[in-house]
Amino acid sequence: MSIKPGFFFRGRIEHDPEGKFRILQPSSIGSSGEVTAEELPLVSDISPREYHVVDDRSVLFVAYGPRNRAYHFGHLPDNVVASSTFYLLRPRPRQLVLREEVVLPGYLAWYLNQPIAQAYFEALRGGVSVKMLRRDALGSLELPLPPLEVQEKVSEVARLSEVEHQLTRQLLKMRRLFTDTLLLERIHQP
C-alpha cells in the first residue's frame, strides 16, 4: 500500500470556472461523508502528480485537525485532486498481489474509522496548535486482513449502514417539520 500526501497549494485556492481540476478538501465533505463533485472549486494553474488525483482505489485520510477520518469515494470524476490536508492511501491492485495480502479500499476506510484505529492515531498525533498525524505513524498501524469476501461484506454493510443513517436523519427532520407545521396551524386557528 502506498501513502502519499495530497497536493500542496502555496496560496489560497481560487475558484476558476474554466479550471481543469476539482479540489477536494475536508471542508467539502458532508457530515455523512458525502461529496458533491459539482460543488468542488475548480483550478487550472496546477500540475498535480498522478498520485494526487483521487480514483476509485484511493482512500483519503485527513491528516490534520481534530479528527483523523478516512473516506473512500467510488463515484468522483477523473479530475479530482486531494489537497495536502489528506494522505492518499492506495492499496495495491489485486492482480499484482501474489498472496492474500490484498486490502479493499472500502474495508480500509471503514477500519481506519473504527475506535481501535482512532485511539491508535490519537496516541501518535503531534502538533501544538494544529494536531497532525505523520505518514509513518499512519503506515505503522497493524491492519487485520480477513479474506476478500469478508472485506467485501464489511465494506457493503458499512456503506448500507451509512445510507440507513442518512435516511433516518432525513426522516427525523421531516417528522419534526411536519409536527411543527401542525402545531403552528393549530395555534393560528380560532
Side-chain angles (χ1 to χ4, degrees):
M1 173 170 33
S2 70
I3 303 174
K4 301 285 187 181
F7 187 84
F8 178 74
F9 287 85
R10 295 190 186 280
R12 184 181 173 146
I13 297 172
E14 299 289 341
H15 176 68
D16 174 3
E18 304 298 320
K20 178 181 175 187
F21 298 103
R22 296 186 181 278
I23 307 304
L24 181 59
Q25 305 170 82
S27 60
S28 309
I29 301 173
S31 60
S32 300
E34 74 280 2
V35 169
T36 304
E38 295 76 26
E39 296 176 0
L40 298 176
L42 289 163
V43 298
S44 57
D45 57 345
I46 64 171
S47 300
R49 294 184 180 207
E50 182 180 338
Y51 63 79
H52 292 128
V53 179
V54 180
D55 63 21
D56 61 354
R57 297 174 299 143
S58 303
V59 172
L60 280 79
F61 184 86
V62 180
Y64 296 88
R67 298 186 66 208
N68 299 116
R69 299 283 302 168
Y71 301 96
H72 173 243
F73 305 106
H75 62 283
L76 294 177
D78 293 339
N79 58 349
V80 173
V81 172
S83 72
S84 60
T85 312
F86 293 106
Y87 291 134
L88 285 95
L89 294 77
R90 287 221 174 86
R92 290 178 284 172
R94 282 185 194 190
Q95 61 269 25
L96 296 179
V97 178
L98 300 177
R99 296 182 296 154
E100 285 295 318
E101 294 180 352
V102 175
V103 60
L104 298 177
Y107 170 78
L108 177 61
W110 171 81
Y111 187 80
L112 294 177
N113 290 327
Q114 295 310 298
I116 189 169
Q118 290 292 311
Y120 180 81
F121 299 142
E122 182 63 31
L124 297 177
R125 289 168 24 132
V128 178
S129 59
V130 177
K131 295 286 185 181
M132 70 154 302
L133 185 71
R134 291 190 350 239
R135 198 168 20 160
D136 60 338
L138 175 60
S140 67
L141 175 71
E142 289 192 27
L143 180 70
L145 284 177
L148 286 177
E149 300 78 34
V150 174
Q151 292 184 43
E152 288 171 349
K153 288 178 182 172
V154 167
S155 297
E156 185 62 11
V157 170
R159 187 189 68 77
L160 292 172
S161 175
E162 186 56 41
V163 169
E164 179 188 30
H165 182 72
Q166 290 176 20
L167 291 173
T168 300
R169 286 192 341 193
Q170 287 178 351
L171 176 65
L172 292 173
K173 185 177 176 182
M174 296 301 289
R175 185 179 296 163
R176 179 69 172 261
L177 179 63
F178 177 74
T179 302
D180 289 345
T181 301
L182 282 179
L183 293 173
L184 285 171
E185 287 177 2
R186 180 70 179 128
I187 64 171
H188 291 295
Q189 288 179 352

